[in-house]
Amino acid sequence: GRIVAETDSTVSISSLTASEVSEVIGIVDAIGWSYRIEDSSTADVDLEEVVDYLEPYRVEIEKELSDTTLRLLTKQGFYDYLRSSKLTGYVVEVASLTTSFKTLGFLAVPWGGSGNEFCAEIRKSPLAIVKSSGGVKDIPSNISPLILRDWSDNLATDEVFLTWARFATIGLITACASEVEPSGQLSFYGQPRSRLLAPAQASYDKLGSEGFINLCAAVSWVYENESEVETRHGLLACEISRSAHGDVDSTPVFAKCIAMAHEGARIAFQFGLGELSKDSLKALSELRKSLADEASKLSESTKQLAASATGTLFLGIGLIFAKIMDKASSGVALGLTAILALYIASIIVANIRYIDLQKQIRSEWRNRLYRFLTDDDYQRMVLDPARKAEESVYCAMWLVAAVMALLLLVIFCV
C-alpha cells in the first residue's frame, strides 16, 4: 500500500509506481506547488527520468505556507493535525471536504475556500480539570477544536467531517469525566461513583448526530466560563454518574442521558448561583402550582365554550325549524338569536380578559420572584406551557364564533 505522511509544509507519498508518479505530479502542477522525486535508491530524479525498473518512487511535495490558513491534501494529514492540537485559530482547507463546518477552534472549508475570517474561542484546558492517575492518555489539551458550532445535515455523509467527529467524540466524552484511571476507565464522581469504559473510535457512530450535538452543547456549557468550569464540570459529572451503573460502555450512557444530565446540571448551577433559600424553592413550587391551576382553568373554559356552543347550536336549530314551520314570529326568532349571540360573546370576552390578566401577572412578577431563572429556563418552564394552554382556548373561541356566525346567517336567511 501507499504510505502517506503530511505536515504543514510537506506531503510525502511513498511506494509509488512510475504511472502513479506521473498522475501525482500532474495534480501538483495544477496546484502550482513544487515537488521532489526519489527513486528506489533515494536518488533525486526528474519526471522525464521516471521509469518502471527504478520503482518504487517517493514524491515529496512542498506546500505553500500561510499564517492563518492550512492546506491539507489528505484525510490522514487532517487527522494528524487534530491529534497535534495545532488547529486553533486557523482556516483549514481540506482537499476532500465537501461541506464547510466550524468549531470553536478552527474553520474547515473545501479546497480553494479560504479567505474566510475566523476568530477562535479559547476555553480552559481539560488537562486542568480532569484528573489522570495513569498518565494523560486521551484527555484533550485543547477543547475548542472539538466543539461544533453549527450543525448541517450535509455533514452527516462527509468523510472528512466524520473523521473529525469520531476524533472529537472521544475527547468530548473524556473531558466530561472526573478522572481517567490507569486502566483507561472514566470515573465520574457522584452518588454513587460510576466507572465507564473509555470511548472508542466508533463512539460517534453509536452516539448519532443528535447525541453528538447534545454532547457538544453540554461540554461547551461546562467550559464556557473559566472561573466556573470546575463547578459546572462537577455538576455534570454528578448527573452523568446517576445514569451509569457498573462497568459499561460510556457511549450508550451518553447517548441516553447527556441531554438530561446537561439540563439537570444547568438547573443545579442556577440554584447555586442564585443562592436559593427555602423561600426561593417555595416560590418555585408555588409557580408550578399556579401554572397548573391556570392550565386547569383554561381547560375548564374550553369545556364551557364547547358546552355553550353545543347548547346554542341546538337552540338555533330549534329556532330555524320553528320559523320554517311558522310557529315563531321573525321578531321572536331574531330576538332569541341575538340573546344567544350575546351570551356566547360574553363568554369569549371573559376568557380573553382572563388570559390577558394572567399575562400581565406573569410579566409583573417575573423579575420580582423568579430572577434566578434564566430567560431560556423561564421560557421553557413558564411561557411555553402557558402559551400552549392559551392556544387551545383561542382555538375553541374561534370555532365557537364561527359556529355562531354561521347560525346567525342561516336564521337571517330563513
Side-chain angles (χ1 to χ4, degrees):
R2 310 296 171 262
I3 301 174
V4 179
E6 184 170 6
T7 68
D8 57 346
S9 59
T10 62
V11 180
S12 174
I13 309 175
S14 304
S15 302
L16 293 173
T17 63
S19 60
E20 289 172 340
V21 169
S22 299
E23 183 178 354
V24 170
I25 298 306
I27 297 173
V28 175
D29 283 336
I31 300 173
W33 289 352
S34 60
Y35 60 87
R36 187 169 61 87
I37 306 173
E38 292 182 358
D39 60 16
S40 57
S41 65
T42 68
D44 290 350
V45 296
D46 295 329
L47 181 61
E48 296 77 10
E49 300 173 335
V50 173
V51 291
D52 294 343
Y53 64 84
L54 291 178
E55 296 176 352
Y57 289 93
R58 175 177 175 271
V59 175
E60 184 174 284
I61 305 167
E62 297 288 336
K63 298 194 297 184
E64 294 180 356
L65 299 179
S66 171
D67 293 335
T68 59
T69 302
L70 290 175
R71 306 188 77 182
L72 302 174
L73 285 172
T74 64
K75 289 190 294 184
Q76 182 61 43
F78 181 59
Y79 181 74
D80 291 340
Y81 264 89
L82 289 175
R83 296 181 62 186
S84 68
S85 300
K86 294 180 180 179
L87 291 178
T88 303
Y90 282 95
V91 176
V92 185
E93 294 184 24
V94 187
S96 55
L97 181 64
T98 58
T99 304
S100 300
F101 66 93
K102 184 185 294 186
T103 73
L104 297 183
F106 68 92
L107 169 64
V109 297
W111 192 265
S114 61
N116 300 280
E117 294 184 359
F118 177 77
C119 182
E121 295 184 25
I122 306 301
R123 302 289 175 88
K124 190 168 184 176
S125 172
L127 290 174
I129 304 299
V130 182
K131 297 180 180 179
S132 178
S133 54
V136 173
K137 296 185 179 295
D138 290 321
I139 302 176
S141 59
N142 187 356
I143 200 67
S144 296
L146 308 183
I147 300 176
L148 184 68
R149 291 198 188 192
D150 301 303
W151 170 263
S152 170
D153 291 336
N154 296 330
L155 296 174
T157 56
D158 191 291
E159 288 299 323
V160 175
F161 171 79
L162 293 177
T163 298
W164 170 82
R166 292 179 182 122
F167 174 82
T169 301
I170 297 175
L172 292 173
I173 292 178
T174 305
C176 294
S178 302
E179 180 182 354
V180 177
E181 299 184 351
S183 62
Q185 289 181 316
L186 306 182
S187 181
F188 294 84
Y189 299 163
Q191 298 295 331
R193 179 171 175 170
S194 298
R195 291 180 174 85
L196 301 178
L197 300 180
Q201 189 68 25
S203 294
Y204 171 80
D205 304 281
K206 297 179 181 178
L207 199 62
S209 58
E210 183 178 357
F212 180 72
I213 293 170
N214 291 332
L215 176 60
C216 285
V219 177
S220 178
W221 173 78
V222 167
Y223 290 89
E224 183 178 31
N225 191 321
E226 185 171 350
S227 63
E228 300 170 351
V229 170
E230 293 187 15
T231 302
R232 296 186 179 192
H233 186 272
L235 290 172
L236 182 66
C238 183
E239 291 292 331
I240 293 172
S241 71
R242 296 179 183 178
S243 304
H245 305 285
D247 295 334
V248 296
D249 186 5
S250 58
T251 306
V253 173
F254 272 73
K256 179 181 177 182
C257 78
I258 187 60
M260 294 184 294
H262 179 202
E263 181 68 15
R266 285 181 68 250
I267 293 176
F269 180 75
Q270 289 298 328
F271 282 1
L273 191 63
E275 298 180 355
L276 292 185
S277 61
K278 292 182 179 180
D279 291 337
S280 300
L281 293 175
K282 183 179 179 181
L284 278 178
S285 300
E286 291 175 351
L287 173 62
R288 179 179 177 276
K289 183 177 182 299
S290 65
L291 282 174
D293 291 342
E294 183 179 345
S296 177
K297 289 179 181 178
L298 290 176
S299 177
E300 289 297 325
S301 297
T302 305
K303 293 178 182 178
Q304 182 184 4
L305 280 169
S308 301
T310 303
T312 302
L313 182 62
F314 278 109
L315 288 174
I317 293 174
L319 288 173
I320 292 171
F321 275 104
K323 285 197 65 177
I324 292 174
M325 301 299 293
D326 291 330
K327 292 185 177 181
S329 66
S330 297
V332 173
L334 292 176
L336 290 174
T337 303
I339 293 173
L340 292 177
L342 288 173
Y343 171 66
I344 293 296
S346 65
I347 295 177
I348 291 176
V349 170
N351 279 281
I352 292 175
R353 289 181 63 83
Y354 175 76
I355 291 174
D356 290 341
L357 178 62
Q358 291 301 317
K359 287 182 178 179
Q360 182 180 356
I361 292 174
R362 286 195 295 269
S363 177
E364 289 291 335
W365 290 99
R366 163 70 175 100
N367 293 323
R368 302 192 182 191
L369 291 179
Y370 312 114
R371 283 187 299 177
F372 55 86
L373 291 175
T374 64
D375 290 339
D376 289 340
D377 289 336
Y378 190 78
Q379 179 75 31
R380 185 175 56 258
M381 296 171 62
V382 179
L383 299 183
D384 288 345
R387 176 180 52 80
K388 292 179 181 178
E390 291 166 2
E391 286 175 353
S392 64
V393 181
Y394 280 120
C395 182
M397 287 190 291
W398 278 108
L399 290 174
V400 170
V403 169
M404 195 65 223
L406 181 61
L407 185 61
L408 285 172
L409 179 63
V410 172
I411 291 176
F412 275 107
C413 290
V414 171

